[in-house]
Amino acid sequence: MSVERKSTSSLQEHRDVTSPDVEKQYNLAPYLSAEGGDYKTRFPNIDEAKVIRKIDLRVVPVLCVLYLLAFLDRVNISNAAVFGLKQDLKLEGNQFNTALVVFFAPYVLFEIPSNALLKHFKPHVWLSLCMFLFGLITLLQGFVQNFGGLVATRFFLGVVESGVFPACFYLIAMWYKRAEAQKRYSFFFSSTTLAGGFGGLLASAIGKMDGLQGYRGWRWIFIIEGLATCVVSAILFFAISDFPEEVAWLTKEEKEFVKARLYEDVGHSKRHEPLTPKSVLEVFKDWKIIVGGFMYFGLIVPAYSYAYFAPSIIQSLGNGMIRTQLLSVPPWACAFALAMLTAVFSDWLRMRFIFVLIPTAISLAGFIILLVVHDNKHLQYGALFLAAMGTYSAMPIIVCWFNTNLGGHHRRAVGTAWQVGFGNIGGIIAVFSFLAKDAPKYITGYSICIAFIGVAVLANTVYFVGVSWENRRRDRLQAQGAYDGLSQDEKKRMGDLNPDYRYFR
C-alpha cells in the first residue's frame, strides 16, 4: 500500500511540471490497469489462447502478404535480368550493379524517419500507402527505356520501401510477448523466401509472354507484379491492424488484457509519447543498439547476394532461361522450412543465440563450397540450398532477438529502424560483390560473403556475452537491494532498462 502511495505521489509531482499535452499526461498517469500481479488472475473471463488465435489471424498473415509483395518487387529485377533486361537497355560494365545499389541509399536513410511517421499515422494508412507507391513504381519500371530511367525508378522504389520492413517488425513486437514472438517473426520474415520461390515460378510463366503487345518478357514481369501490388494495397488498407490500443476487433477488456500481457513482459509501451530527436539520441546511448546493427549487417551481404544473383549463378551452370527460373524455387522452399523449424525450437527452448549459430554455420558451409568447387554443377547447385537455408533462417532470429529485447515504443521504433537501416548498408556491398567480369566463378563475391558471415557471428557473440553479463549484474544488484527505492510502476516505465528485466539470450 505504501509503495502504491509513493508511486502515485511521485508521478503527481511529475505531472505538475509538465505541459498540458494530453498524451504526455496520459503516460504520466499510474498504469494501474496493467499492474498488480499476474495478468491472468486479473482477467479471469479472458481466454488467452482464444485472444492469441485472434491476433494471429488478424496481424501476421496480412503483414506477410504485404512484405511478400514488397520483397518480390525489390528483387524481381534479378528475374528480369535473365530475360534480357541488360541487353534491351544496353547496360554495360557495372551499370546493372549501379542500378541495384541506388535502391539502398534512400532505403537506409529513411528507415528511422519512417518509423517516426508510423507513430503519427495509423499503421494501416502508412503501410498501405507505401505499398501502393512501390507497386506503382514497379509497374513504371516496366516502361523504362534506358539506364537513367532504371536508376530513377530504383531510387524511388528504395524511398517508398524503406518504411515497410522495420514498421512491420515494430508492429508485430507490440502485439506479442518475447517468448512467443519468434515463430511469428520467422513466419513473417519467411515472406522473403516465399517471394523468392514465387517470383521464380511467376517469372517462368510471365517470361512466356515475351513479345506480347510488343513488350519483352522482362517488362511484363514488372508490369504484372507492380499492378498486382497496387490492387492488393487497396484491400490491405482495410485489413492491416493498428496497435493494440486502437483496433476495433478486440473488446475493451481484451485490449486491456493484451496491454497487461505486454506490460508484464516488457513494461510500459509509451505508445502516445512523441518521438523527438532528443529521445532518438537517448536510445543510441545504449551500446547494445549499435551492436544490433552489426548483427544484421553481417548477414545482409550474403542474403542480398543470393537474392539478386542466384538466378545468374544458376544460369551460369548451363541452364536455359525458363529452367533457371524453375531451379531457383527449391532453395527458397527449403529455406522457408528450416526457418520455421528453427523458430519453433527457439521459442520452445527460449533460446536465441544457439539458433543463430547453427543456421549461420550451414550458410557458411554453402558459400565455402561455392568458393572452392567449380567443376561439379550438382554440388554447386546443392551449395545454393545451404547458402539460402542458413542465411534466411538466421536472419529472422537475429531481428526478433534484438527487437523483442527492447521495451517500449520508443526503443523498439528506433532500435528496429536502426538495425534494419544500418544493416541494409550491406546491400550496397552485396550488389558490387558479384560483377559480370567475375562470372562464372565469382571468387570475390563468395569470399566477401564468407567474411561478412564472420562479422555476423562476431557481433552476435558480443551481444550474447553483453546481455548475459547485464543479466548477471542485475541479479547481483537486486540481491544487494540496490533497487528497493523504485516502485513497480517506475520500474515498468523503464522498459528493458528496468532492473527486474532479464534479456533473452
Side-chain angles (χ1 to χ4, degrees):
M1 191 70 174
S2 61
V3 171
E4 190 175 302
R5 281 199 302 270
K6 176 182 176 182
S7 173
T8 305
S9 173
S10 172
L11 290 162
Q12 183 61 48
E13 290 174 7
H14 285 294
R15 188 182 291 110
D16 292 339
V17 298
T18 60
S19 68
D21 188 305
V22 174
E23 291 184 342
K24 290 182 181 178
Q25 289 187 10
Y26 167 84
N27 281 285
L28 287 169
Y31 207 75
L32 298 178
S33 62
E35 64 175 57
D38 179 35
Y39 68 89
K40 294 181 181 180
T41 63
R42 289 182 285 113
F43 296 92
N45 298 324
I46 297 292
D47 183 343
E48 183 172 21
K50 182 179 179 181
V51 173
I52 296 301
R53 283 195 300 270
K54 189 185 293 189
I55 295 171
D56 284 341
L57 290 173
R58 292 276 193 163
V59 177
V60 180
V62 176
L63 296 181
C64 285
V65 173
L66 167 64
Y67 195 60
L68 185 151
L69 291 172
F71 194 77
L72 183 64
D73 289 349
R74 186 186 314 169
V75 302
N76 57 10
I77 191 171
S78 63
N79 302 112
V82 173
F83 281 109
L85 176 145
K86 297 179 183 178
Q87 293 77 14
D88 287 358
L89 298 185
K90 298 180 175 57
L91 301 185
E92 300 175 350
N94 296 332
Q95 286 186 325
F96 178 71
N97 302 77
T98 302
L100 294 181
V101 82
V102 164
F103 170 90
F104 290 99
Y107 190 80
V108 169
L109 291 175
F110 291 113
E111 297 275 6
I112 292 179
S114 176
N115 262 15
L117 287 172
L118 186 68
K119 287 175 65 65
H120 294 282
F121 297 96
K122 291 183 181 295
H124 81 275
V125 175
W126 178 246
L127 289 174
S128 59
L129 174 62
C130 290
M131 185 179 186
F132 174 79
L133 291 175
F134 68 67
L136 178 62
I137 293 169
T138 299
L139 188 155
L140 295 175
Q141 204 170 199
F143 296 97
V144 299
Q145 299 298 321
N146 50 43
F147 172 66
L150 182 63
V151 167
T153 53
R154 295 299 295 181
F155 176 85
F156 287 108
L157 188 65
V159 171
V160 295
E161 277 209 24
S162 64
V164 175
F165 184 71
C168 289
F169 260 80
Y170 169 40
L171 183 59
I172 292 172
M174 303 315 297
W175 279 98
Y176 294 101
K177 295 169 63 176
R178 290 177 295 160
E180 63 197 17
Q182 186 61 65
K183 293 188 292 293
R184 280 83 178 179
Y185 270 101
S186 289
F187 185 71
F188 165 76
F189 192 91
S190 293
S191 302
T192 59
T193 61
L194 294 177
F198 181 64
L201 287 174
L202 195 59
S204 66
I206 297 175
K208 296 177 182 178
M209 297 172 62
D210 190 33
L212 184 65
Q213 298 296 317
Y215 292 120
R216 291 292 307 276
W218 67 267
R219 293 188 184 275
W220 283 115
I221 290 175
F222 291 132
I223 292 169
I224 291 176
E225 293 178 4
L227 180 61
T229 301
C230 291
V231 172
V232 174
S233 71
I235 299 171
L236 294 196
F237 176 83
F238 301 99
I240 294 173
S241 295
D242 295 322
F243 295 109
E245 302 94 330
E246 301 164 337
V247 296
W249 45 268
L250 288 178
T251 66
K252 183 178 179 180
E253 188 178 18
E254 286 173 336
K255 291 179 184 179
E256 290 297 321
F257 177 77
V258 172
K259 285 164 55 178
R261 295 174 75 246
L262 297 177
Y263 180 80
E264 189 170 296
D265 188 43
V266 297
H268 192 3
S269 74
K270 298 186 178 180
R271 162 71 182 97
H272 297 283
E273 288 187 6
L275 188 60
T276 64
K278 182 179 179 180
S279 60
V280 170
L281 291 175
E282 283 294 321
V283 174
F284 280 105
K285 290 181 179 179
D286 183 357
W287 66 270
K288 296 189 294 297
I289 301 295
I290 305 301
V291 173
F294 284 93
M295 291 162 65
Y296 190 61
F297 172 73
L299 283 188
I300 275 289
V301 176
Y304 273 121
S305 295
Y306 184 88
Y308 280 127
F309 298 105
S312 297
I313 294 170
I314 293 172
Q315 189 176 38
S316 72
L317 297 179
N319 298 295
M321 291 188 296
I322 300 297
R323 182 172 172 80
T324 292
Q325 304 295 352
L326 294 174
L327 287 177
S328 71
V329 176
W332 288 112
C334 291
F336 174 79
L338 182 62
M340 293 311 303
L341 187 64
T342 54
V344 169
F345 280 102
S346 179
D347 269 353
W348 181 46
L349 296 173
R350 298 169 66 92
M351 298 170 65
R352 299 290 185 252
F353 182 57
I354 188 65
F355 290 102
V356 170
L357 290 185
I358 293 173
T360 301
I362 293 173
S363 176
L364 183 62
F367 280 107
I368 289 175
I369 292 172
L370 289 168
L371 176 66
V372 301
V373 177
H374 305 290
D375 56 356
N376 188 329
K377 294 179 180 179
H378 295 295
L379 181 57
Q380 289 171 270
Y381 180 59
L384 289 173
F385 279 76
L386 298 180
M389 290 167 64
T391 303
Y392 285 93
S393 296
M395 289 174 73
I397 294 181
I398 289 173
V399 179
C400 176
W401 182 22
F402 174 74
N403 190 19
T404 55
N405 264 346
L406 299 172
H409 275 259
H410 281 189
R411 288 176 62 77
R412 280 186 177 168
V414 176
T416 305
W418 155 255
Q419 185 184 48
V420 176
F422 177 78
N424 273 285
I425 294 175
I428 298 173
I429 299 169
V431 298
F432 277 111
S433 299
F434 289 77
L435 302 178
K437 66 181 181 66
D438 295 328
K441 293 185 177 181
Y442 295 114
I443 299 295
T444 302
Y446 296 138
S447 300
I448 290 173
C449 289
I450 292 169
F452 276 92
I453 289 173
V455 171
V457 171
L458 177 61
N460 279 275
T461 302
V462 169
Y463 185 76
F464 170 74
V465 172
V467 295
S468 298
W469 177 84
E470 181 65 23
N471 285 348
R472 288 194 297 271
R473 187 184 73 88
R474 292 180 183 181
D475 287 340
R476 185 175 65 255
L477 291 175
Q478 192 173 51
Q480 296 171 357
Y483 307 120
D484 291 348
L486 294 173
S487 70
Q488 285 300 313
D489 188 70
E490 288 169 330
K491 288 179 181 179
K492 287 295 185 182
R493 291 178 187 281
M494 297 171 70
D496 62 289
L497 302 179
N498 174 2
D500 292 340
Y501 189 95
R502 297 296 180 269
Y503 293 104
F504 264 45
R505 301 184 303 149

